[in-house]
Amino acid sequence: RIQVFCRVRKLSPAEKDMDAVVKCTEHTVLCPGVNSAGDLQSNACRVFRVDHVFPPESTQEDVHHKVAPLCVSCMDGYNVTIFAYGQTGSGKTYTMSGPNAKNPRENPGLAYRALRHLFEL
């Protein structure tokens, strides 16, 4: 079964200046529409439904806790793939490697936590 998780990053200062608002529930993300010029269009909101949403205040540990059962499935013989997808600057590297990829022991990302979990099983 394919599961889709969404991690919503904090708004950038420029997005805050544009009065952008992203609303999240446990399974839904509501995003403002943007026209081809990059201007917000409040009447064009988009709704995305996924298996789980991590709000902007979620931590690396929160994401790992939700994904950890997939490590167990991997050890049970199931095929498991975890990947990050999104625009440039959306937080893929932060989520997968952590805020300091050169020092992964400092608040490690999902890849490092998942590998550590595999070796602990």
Side-chain angles (χ1 to χ4, degrees), residues 8-22 31-32 34 38-40 56 87-91:
V8 179
R9 66 167 171 74
K10 294 176 183 169
L11 294 177
S12 70
E15 291 166 331
K16 289 178 184 176
D17 289 346
M18 292 181 357
D19 293 327
V21 176
V22 177
C31 300
V34 179
D39 300 321
L40 288 178
Q87 288 182 262
T88 299
S90 63

Side-chain angles (χ1 to χ4, degrees), residues 2-73:
I2 294 174
Q3 296 181 49
V4 177
F5 297 162
C6 176
R7 185 173 192 182
V8 179
R9 66 167 171 74
K10 294 176 183 169
L11 294 177
S12 70
E15 291 166 331
K16 289 178 184 176
D17 289 346
M18 292 181 357
D19 293 327
V21 176
V22 177
K23 296 181 181 177
C24 308
T25 66
E26 186 177 350
H27 301 285
T28 310
V29 180
L30 176 69
C31 300
V34 179
N35 65 19
S36 59
D39 300 321
L40 288 178
Q41 302 212 297
S42 59
N43 61 345
C45 289
R46 299 185 67 185
V47 177
F48 299 93
R49 288 179 178 74
V50 295
D51 293 295
H52 186 79
V53 175
F54 297 99
E57 60 275 2
S58 63
T59 64
Q60 299 285 61
E61 185 61 36
D62 295 335
V63 177
H64 176 258
H65 180 72
K66 188 72 176 179
V67 175
L70 297 176
C71 295
V72 175
S73 295

